[in-house]
Amino acid sequence: ALPKGWDHFRSDHYLVLSNASRKYANELVRHAEALRGYLDETFGSLGLDYVPPAIIRVFATRPEYEAYSQGTQRYLGTGSRQVLVVEDESLQNVNWDITWQWLDFKNGELYGSMPAWIRTGLTHHMSYARTAGKSVKFAFDEWDQATLQTLLKNNEAVPLKDLISGAHERKFEGQDTVVFDEKAFRQMNQAGSVVTYLLTAGNKGKTKGALAAY
C-alpha cells in the first residue's frame, strides 16, 4: 500500500522504501550493509538484544522528506527506528542514523544514557566512514585535524581524565540538561579524536577493545 511512485525491496538486514532512483537506493543499501557489518564486529558485545532487519526510507526530494519527518513520523514516534535519507545528500547523516538505529536496537538503555564524550566522539568518528564493497574505511577531514592541532598548540585540550569523567561539563542550577561552555564545545572535536584512536590505531595491544569494554 505504498503511495504511487514508491517501491520496496529487501537486503540481508534492511527493508528499503524508496521513490528515489533504484541505482541510488541500491548503492545506499550496500553502504548501509557494510556499516552494519562494521558495527556488528566492533560493538557486538554491547548487549544481548537482537538487532532485527531495519527500515531505510529514501526520498527523491527534501520537501518530501520534510513533509514526512514533520508529519507521519512525528506521530508514529519512530525516532531512530527508521533511517530517513534524501537522494544525493551527504552520507554523514546516513552514517550517524545507521549507527544510532543499530545501537537503539542493540541496547536501548545504553543508547539513551551513553556518556557525552562517547556519543559525541562516536558521531564524529562515524561521520567519516566510507565503504568499498563490504569494507569500511575512515577518511578524516583536514579541518578537524587542524582544529585539534590548534587545541594542542594553544594548550586548550582537555586532560583525558577530565574528558572521560565529564569534569569539563557544567549544569545550569536546577536543571538536568548538561551543557558545554564555548571552550568545551570546541573541545568536543577532541572527543572524536579519542574515540577514533581507540577504534583504529589504538585498537591493539592493551587498548584493543577498550572502548566497547568501557
Side-chain angles (χ1 to χ4, degrees), residues 155-194:
N155 199 30
E156 293 180 344
V158 177
L160 187 58
K161 181 179 179 181
D162 291 345
L163 185 74
I164 293 174
S165 68
H168 65 300
E169 299 170 1
R170 61 182 174 85
K171 292 185 178 183
F172 286 125
E173 186 175 354
Q175 295 186 6
D176 294 328
T177 304
V178 176
V179 296
F180 302 98
D181 59 33
E182 186 174 339
K183 181 178 178 181
F185 182 80
R186 294 196 308 269
Q187 291 165 336
M188 293 317 292
N189 187 64
Q190 181 187 345
S193 73
V194 173

Side-chain angles (χ1 to χ4, degrees), residues 102-119:
W102 185 94
L103 283 168
D104 190 12
F105 280 122
K106 185 66 176 176
N107 190 330
E109 290 186 6
L110 177 63
Y111 169 81
S113 58
M114 189 175 293
W117 74 273
I118 296 183
R119 178 176 291 275

Side-chain angles (χ1 to χ4, degrees), residues 77-94:
T78 50
S80 64
R81 295 299 175 110
Q82 287 190 77
V83 170
L84 306 182
V85 183
V86 180
E87 184 171 4
D88 291 332
E89 291 196 354
S90 171
L91 283 179
Q92 260 193 356
N93 290 340
V94 176

Side-chain angles (χ1 to χ4, degrees), residues 14 16 29 56 79 97 105-106 120-121 125-126 151 155 158 168 183 190-191 214:
Y14 293 100
V16 182
V29 77
I56 298 177
D97 290 346
F105 280 122
K106 185 66 176 176
T120 302
H125 174 70
M126 294 302 295
L151 283 175
N155 199 30
V158 177
H168 65 300
K183 181 178 178 181
Q190 181 187 345
Y214 181 88

Side-chain angles (χ1 to χ4, degrees), residues 37-113:
Y38 173 81
L39 294 167
D40 285 339
E41 180 180 357
T42 307
F43 299 115
S45 63
L46 287 187
L48 299 177
D49 286 343
Y50 169 64
V51 181
I55 297 174
I56 298 177
R57 192 180 295 262
V58 190
F59 299 87
T61 67
R62 174 151 285 277
E64 291 173 301
Y65 161 88
E66 291 175 350
Y68 180 81
S69 61
Q70 294 172 11
T72 304
Q73 190 200 26
R74 180 176 60 182
Y75 292 109
L76 289 175
T78 50
S80 64
R81 295 299 175 110
Q82 287 190 77
V83 170
L84 306 182
V85 183
V86 180
E87 184 171 4
D88 291 332
E89 291 196 354
S90 171
L91 283 179
Q92 260 193 356
N93 290 340
V94 176
N95 294 350
W96 297 340
D97 290 346
I98 290 290
T99 300
W100 299 122
Q101 181 192 61
W102 185 94
L103 283 168
D104 190 12
F105 280 122
K106 185 66 176 176
N107 190 330
E109 290 186 6
L110 177 63
Y111 169 81
S113 58

Side-chain angles (χ1 to χ4, degrees), residues 18-37:
S18 173
N19 72 338
S21 70
R22 186 58 181 263
K23 180 180 179 181
Y24 176 81
N26 286 341
E27 180 59 23
L28 178 72
V29 77
R30 181 206 58 76
H31 177 78
E33 287 284 1
L35 287 185
R36 174 156 175 155

